Amino acid sequence: MQQAAQHDQRFKVSSYSSPSVPAGASSSARPSTNNHQFALVALTSLFFMWGFITCLNDILIPHLKNVFSLNYTQSMLIQLCFFGAYFIVSLPAGALVKRISYKWGIVVGLLIAAVGCALFIPAASYRVYALFLGALFVLATGVTILQVAANPYVTELGAPETAASRLTLTQAFNSLGTTVAPLFGAMLILSAAVADVQNASPEQVEALRIAEANAVRFPYMILAIAFLVLAAIFAALKLPKVEEEDVAEAVGGEHHGSAWSYRHLVLGAVGIFLYVGAEVSIGSFLVNYLAEPSIANMPEAEAAHYVAYFWGGAMIGRFIGSFAMRYVDDGKALAFNAVIAGLLLVATVFAGGKVAMWAVLAVGLFNSIMFPTIFSLALKGLGRHTSQGSGILCLAIVGGALLPVLQGGLADTIGIHLAFLMPVVCYVYIAFYGVKGHKPA
């Protein structure tokens, strides 16, 4: 494993309950390990929540596809609005977090996410697709701020050489959220799906569509309350304050005036773009894909339960990875997982039935370490540019907005089965980043 400690990256660290430590202070002046552990435990709840809320989109897509009679491309506007917020909000969020601290950035993100969830109530009442998309954009704005604040916070709460391991562990709880969300959505949202409206009158069809639209109100009201409670908890918590030292640092002997000057960061942003785009594309199509007669021919509510296997695999892989990556080179682990994920998708495309189903579900296991590993590798050695670098990486999450729309267009033209070739290209690049691209120039 490449040691981030090789870079001249120092931090000034203080606690909300103790005086600040001067810049350049020794590591012994940092908050205690117990203080860091407490902060990491608190942060895992955030990773769980935004994993849950993000994966719930995979259930929302087939649901609203039925409610508004959408094609695949139109239904992917859900991911376009949700992940498009990352593109618009990430850089301002990075500046905001740098100004108000990681802790208060988290609180602001939680409050905005609560507002976004609450907006689902009027959206369901008026049954207008554009209002659902607007609510998703506000919700994603809050989640973006959480990502910009929490991801680098985790990498900096502890020894630099174990940053990837820590971020992988907290991302495992993110995957726990994504594993639970399909089961939650199947029970409270897809259970209202209309099985057959061919023999119903127009009035009955309209009443059924209204019932389907209203099915999202209760789940998102609960989520709004949960975000408000978390905001209050984090506002009251005394967490370690970690700030990048405001001095120049060197990577490879060169000084940089902006995070954009770091080649490995820029290539990492491309990796995040393609990884998130691939993961979201696969997850977004799973319910409809498993419902295909040539694959599993499942009802949507039953297929949603199998989506939990995809995200559950990512959760298991992250728990394993958080331990294994203390001993395995980060880049090699990333490249290995990308190659296996690509091969599984190739098997999915050129097979059918149960083989195709289990191959695509198994991709989740190998997705597991990709996001946290790319993220931590890209941030290595950024020093005082870490907040800006985090904003750039979160900006790249817009891949989750664009690539699912591309795959939706492919599904409408060449079929949902062959459309799974698109993510294969993404994994080829990720393998390159793991082998070579992550190394600072």
Side-chain angles (χ1 to χ4, degrees), residues 116-166:
C117 288
L119 288 174
F120 272 79
I121 297 174
S125 298
Y126 289 102
R127 204 161 65 90
V128 176
Y129 188 44
L131 291 180
F132 279 105
L133 297 179
L136 278 167
F137 182 84
V138 175
L139 171 57
T141 296
V143 174
T144 302
I145 297 172
L146 288 177
Q147 290 253 28
V148 171
N151 280 309
Y153 194 20
V154 170
T155 65
E156 295 176 11
L157 283 175
E161 60 269 21
T162 58
S165 175
R166 285 196 307 278

Side-chain angles (χ1 to χ4, degrees), residues 70-372:
L70 308 172
N71 61 28
Y72 284 116
T73 305
Q74 291 169 333
S75 65
M76 286 305 114
L77 292 178
I78 291 173
Q79 301 293 30
L80 178 65
C81 285
F82 188 88
F83 288 95
Y86 284 89
F87 183 78
I88 296 171
V89 177
S90 286
L91 291 181
L96 174 69
V97 170
K98 190 169 185 177
R99 183 178 182 86
I100 67 175
S101 80
Y102 292 124
K103 171 186 171 175
W104 292 107
I106 289 169
V107 173
V108 170
L110 287 167
L111 290 174
I112 294 175
V115 172
C117 288
L119 288 174
F120 272 79
I121 297 174
S125 298
Y126 289 102
R127 204 161 65 90
V128 176
Y129 188 44
L131 291 180
F132 279 105
L133 297 179
L136 278 167
F137 182 84
V138 175
L139 171 57
T141 296
V143 174
T144 302
I145 297 172
L146 288 177
Q147 290 253 28
V148 171
N151 280 309
Y153 194 20
V154 170
T155 65
E156 295 176 11
L157 283 175
E161 60 269 21
T162 58
S165 175
R166 285 196 307 278
L167 194 55
T168 298
L169 180 59
T170 52
Q171 286 282 344
F173 288 91
N174 176 275
S175 294
L176 177 61
T178 61
T179 303
V180 173
L183 305 177
F184 178 86
M187 180 177 63
L188 295 180
I189 297 178
L190 287 184
S191 60
V194 177
D196 182 14
V197 296
Q198 292 181 351
N199 300 321
S201 67
E203 293 79 12
Q204 290 174 322
V205 171
E206 179 66 15
L208 290 170
R209 298 302 187 200
I210 292 172
E212 281 189 318
N214 287 337
V216 305
R217 296 176 67 176
F218 178 71
Y220 281 89
M221 181 180 68
I222 295 298
L223 290 169
I225 295 171
F227 278 120
L228 287 174
V229 170
L230 281 173
I233 291 172
F234 271 86
L237 287 178
K238 294 181 178 180
L239 298 176
K241 184 177 180 182
V242 182
E243 298 176 359
E244 302 91 347
E245 187 174 344
D246 194 19
V247 296
E249 69 296 310
V251 175
E254 297 182 7
H255 292 272
H256 299 264
S258 166
W260 289 104
S261 302
Y262 293 83
R263 174 181 174 273
H264 69 290
L265 171 71
V266 176
L267 294 179
V270 176
I272 291 289
F273 178 93
L274 294 175
Y275 166 72
V276 176
E279 181 187 56
V280 173
S281 296
I282 295 168
S284 298
F285 281 89
L286 278 179
V287 171
N288 293 117
Y289 184 63
L290 297 181
E292 286 283 301
S294 62
I295 305 302
N297 198 27
M298 294 180 179
E300 289 182 349
E302 182 182 353
H305 287 85
Y306 280 85
V307 176
Y309 286 100
F310 177 78
W311 298 108
M315 177 184 66
I316 293 169
R318 282 173 175 170
F319 278 117
I320 295 172
S322 67
F323 172 77
M325 290 180 68
R326 294 177 180 269
Y327 309 101
V328 180
D329 179 85
D330 297 350
K332 291 179 180 178
L334 177 64
F336 174 81
N337 280 32
V339 169
I340 299 300
L343 291 175
L344 286 169
L345 283 177
V346 170
T348 297
V349 171
F350 293 103
K354 295 294 184 181
V355 173
M357 181 184 83
W358 288 111
V360 73
L361 292 177
V363 172
L365 177 65
F366 297 94
N367 275 344
S368 57
I369 67 163
M370 291 189 193
F371 183 90

Side-chain angles (χ1 to χ4, degrees), residues 355-390:
V355 173
M357 181 184 83
W358 288 111
V360 73
L361 292 177
V363 172
L365 177 65
F366 297 94
N367 275 344
S368 57
I369 67 163
M370 291 189 193
F371 183 90
T373 304
I374 296 171
F375 205 99
S376 58
L377 287 173
L379 287 182
K380 280 185 177 180
L382 265 64
R384 62 189 175 92
H385 300 303
T386 299
S387 292
Q388 184 191 14
S390 177

